[in-house]
Every structure is written in C-alpha cells, then in structure tokens.
Amino acid sequence: MAETNLIAEPGKQDIVISREFDAPQDLVFRACTDPELVSQWWGPKGVTTTVEKMDTRPGGTWRAVQRDAEGNEYAFHGVYHEVTPGRIVDTFEYDAMPGHVLLETETLEDLGGGRTRLTDHLIFQSVEDRDGMLQAGSQEEMIEPLERLAGLLQSLKQAAPAR
C-alpha cells in the first residue's frame, strides 16, 4: 500500500505532501478537477464536502463547504492560476480566517505503468500561519483525503471499461 508523506521542516513556511497512486495521470487529474469527484475525497473523514464552485481555468474560482455530523460548516475558497494535466496552481483560504491565503501547487508526475505521483506543495504567508495550521490538527486532515483519493481512484479504475 502506498504511503502519504508529509514534510514540514521547522522554521519553514511550507508543507510538502506526496503520494503515489496506482492510477494513470489523466485519471488523477480528473479526480482533482471534477467537482463531483472532488466532493467524494476532499476533506477528512466524518465531513461531507460540497463543491459549490469549481471553475478550473486560470482566473477561475473555487469554493467548497464541509459539514460535520453536528452541523458545523467549514468553507474554503480560492483562485486557479494554472490548470494543466501535470500541474494545478491555486490559492487556498479558510473563510473563518480571512487574509491567511496560501499558494498550492499540485504536481502530477506520470511514473509510467499507470502510476502517478501527486506532490502538493503548500506555501504559507508566514511560518506562524503554517505552524498554526499544523497545531490545529490539520496534519492528519491533509493526509486522510489522499487516502480517500486512492480508494476513489481504485473504484474509478474498476468501473472503467477495458480499452
């Protein structure tokens, strides 16, 4: 089973998360840019994600709302800067903390043999912003979605007609 790696070096203002998937690059890209698919894996277990907007083109915006079992809502939004099969660059902002915007670059590397490595590089405005996110327990919340994405990709591969 593939492992999700998270690197957050002390004193730095970034986090790098990576994982290899047993799925081709085009399928991983689709799972990251199709609102119906994103809603199935984005976010930690125990929340329901609704993608309210996802205009995946440079200058397009996105917005997602997560709801937990108690009815609490957590909303996020951003702007796309680049969207290609090998790279997605966007901003990410938690509605409850306006002004704390991070830049996210997802690289989808075709490893051949129907495998893809996704590397998610998050750059925060400050070390304090980054550390605050980590201290809030977000580390596990960044890993769980990639585990869920792996399961979704397997389901999509099994449902796809043979070529």
Side-chain angles (χ1 to χ4, degrees):
M1 180 169 194
E3 184 178 311
T4 301
N5 297 305
L6 187 145
I7 300 169
E9 295 180 35
K12 302 264 179 134
Q13 65 191 67
D14 67 339
I15 296 172
V16 179
I17 307 161
S18 64
R19 182 185 173 106
E20 290 183 16
F21 296 99
D22 187 19
Q25 182 187 41
D26 63 334
L27 187 59
V28 177
F29 178 74
R30 186 167 66 107
C32 291
T33 56
D34 179 328
E36 289 184 30
L37 297 177
V38 170
S39 67
Q40 295 179 49
W41 65 269
W42 197 74
K45 294 175 186 173
V47 300
T48 301
T49 299
T50 302
V51 177
E52 293 183 343
K53 184 173 188 175
M54 184 172 262
D55 181 1
T56 56
R57 61 189 166 120
T61 60
W62 66 270
R63 179 175 168 76
V65 178
Q66 297 175 338
R67 291 173 183 84
D68 64 19
E70 291 79 36
N72 298 307
E73 289 189 356
Y74 310 93
F76 308 87
H77 67 277
V79 177
Y80 288 101
H81 295 275
E82 178 182 340
V83 182
T84 65
R87 194 166 123 116
I88 302 167
V89 180
D90 65 279
T91 58
F92 178 100
E93 186 173 4
Y94 178 36
D95 283 9
M97 295 187 68
H100 295 272
V101 181
L102 65 92
L103 182 65
E104 176 178 36
T105 301
E106 293 176 303
T107 305
L108 305 172
E109 180 184 355
D110 184 348
L111 301 175
R115 294 189 56 79
T116 303
R117 178 182 299 117
L118 183 146
T119 301
D120 194 3
H121 189 191
L122 309 170
I123 302 174
F124 295 78
Q125 291 177 319
S126 67
V127 174
E128 293 77 20
D129 279 0
R130 196 255 351 224
D131 289 351
M133 188 174 201
L134 290 172
Q135 290 167 359
S138 296
Q139 200 162 347
E140 188 60 34
E141 292 176 4
M142 288 185 255
I143 293 172
E144 279 181 10
L146 294 182
E147 305 297 327
R148 294 174 65 192
L149 175 56
L152 174 63
L153 291 168
Q154 288 307 308
S155 297
L156 293 171
K157 281 178 44 179
Q158 291 170 358
R163 292 182 186 189

